[in-house]
């Protein structure tokens, strides 16, 4: 067993589901190389911390943690501390993917990805701080080969059928591509990933 995937589309209680997934992670064999979690969660940092503590051979982490609660409370931002634990616990990580727009990073947390020695692929939702941090990350990392930013195009399109924000993002990424020609940098509609 080298891959673990947990998918739960129900609206089960966050706490009980997160505890269950934490227990599953802690019982996984150490040779797991890929983990994908698609579930409701309010405990993003705790789940990543659990992964860092138990899965030292991990090469790919893919998270799609949504919050479908009645109170519309967003999951907490991923912290610098959690990213540092991931760096120390999973030094072989080569792909980091966040496939849900509700997961954000606290100040400077995203930039910790620059320190992962084997990281080749980043896939995250596009936020202003992500774009500004990419230049720093790419200037420090010697291993990153591909960066995919996700954005919900349908939410950006105006009544005229155009999106200034989409165009601005594309222009920013084009400048980064020119500065870092060895890295594939792309923008995708999140509905098609």
């Amino acid at each position: 067993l080298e891959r673990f995937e947990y998918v739960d589309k129900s609206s089960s209680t966050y706490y009980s589901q997160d505890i269950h997934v934490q227990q599953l992670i802690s019982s996984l064999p150490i040779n797991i190389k890929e983990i994908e979690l698609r579930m409701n969660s309010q405990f993003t940092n705790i789940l990543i911390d659990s992964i860092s503590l138990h899965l030292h051979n991990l090469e790919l982490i893919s998270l799609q943690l949504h919050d479908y609660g009645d109170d519309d409370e967003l999951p907490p931002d991923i912290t610098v501390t959690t990213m540092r634990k991931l760096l120390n616990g999973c030094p072989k990580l080569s792909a980091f993917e966040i496939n849900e727009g509700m997961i954000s990073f606290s100040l400077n947390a995203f930039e910790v990805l620059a320190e992962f020695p084997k990281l080749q692929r980043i896939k995250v939702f596009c936020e202003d701080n992500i774009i500004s941090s990419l230049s720093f990350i790419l200037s420090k990392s010697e291993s990153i080969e591909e960066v995919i930013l996700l954005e919900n195009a349908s939410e950006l399109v105006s009544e005229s059928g155009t999106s200034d924000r989409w165009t601005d993002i594309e222009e920013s990424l084009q400048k980064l591509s020119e500065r870092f020609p060895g890295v594939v940098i792309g923008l995708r509609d999140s509905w098609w990933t």
Side-chain angles (χ1 to χ4, degrees):
L1 179 70
E2 292 190 347
R3 177 177 173 80
F4 174 73
E5 183 176 346
Y6 182 86
V7 179
D8 186 347
K9 295 183 179 180
S10 71
S11 56
S12 59
T13 307
Y14 302 124
Y15 185 74
S16 63
Q17 184 180 22
D18 283 301
I19 294 298
H20 174 68
V21 173
Q22 272 186 275
Q23 291 169 344
L24 287 174
I25 291 169
S26 65
S27 67
L28 289 172
I30 196 163
N31 63 330
I32 293 289
K33 293 184 178 177
E34 298 181 4
I35 188 166
E36 181 176 357
L37 302 178
R38 289 187 282 159
M39 56 187 269
N40 296 332
S41 179
Q42 274 291 322
F43 300 98
T44 308
N45 290 295
I46 293 170
L47 290 174
I48 295 174
D49 290 351
S50 184
I51 290 168
S52 304
L53 185 62
H54 298 287
L55 303 178
H56 303 294
N57 292 311
L58 198 67
E59 295 175 7
L60 177 141
I61 182 171
S62 179
L63 302 175
Q64 188 169 343
L65 308 177
H66 354 269
D67 174 32
Y68 293 136
D70 295 332
D71 54 5
D72 292 327
E73 185 178 335
L74 294 175
D77 291 347
I78 297 173
T79 65
V80 172
T81 302
T82 290
M83 291 302 290
R84 292 229 167 267
K85 287 179 182 177
L86 188 62
L87 172 64
N88 293 326
C90 305
K92 298 177 181 179
L93 197 69
S94 61
F96 182 88
E97 300 179 358
I98 301 235
N99 297 303
E100 173 59 57
M102 292 184 174
I103 303 176
S104 298
F105 293 87
S106 64
L107 185 64
N108 301 326
F110 183 66
E111 293 180 355
V112 176
L113 289 175
E115 300 176 39
F116 283 74
K118 298 187 177 195
L119 190 65
Q120 297 175 339
R121 184 172 199 265
I122 299 172
K123 182 178 169 187
V124 294
F125 261 76
C126 188
E127 299 176 33
D128 292 335
N129 64 323
I130 297 291
I131 294 174
S132 60
S133 296
L134 270 179
S135 180
F136 171 81
I137 291 171
L138 294 176
S139 67
K140 298 292 182 190
S141 173
E142 296 180 6
S143 60
I144 294 176
E145 298 173 356
E146 181 181 30
V147 176
I148 302 298
L149 296 184
L150 304 173
E151 186 60 87
N152 188 337
S154 63
E155 290 182 5
L156 297 178
V157 176
S158 66
E159 291 177 13
S160 65
T162 62
S163 168
D164 291 336
R165 172 142 168 84
W166 187 274
T167 303
D168 291 345
I169 295 169
E170 284 182 324
E171 288 174 3
S172 297
L173 297 183
Q174 179 61 37
K175 289 176 185 172
L176 278 175
S177 293
E178 291 168 3
R179 186 168 169 210
F180 302 100
V183 180
V184 175
I185 303 173
L187 177 64
R188 291 189 190 155
D189 186 348
S190 60
W191 284 102
W192 303 107
T193 57

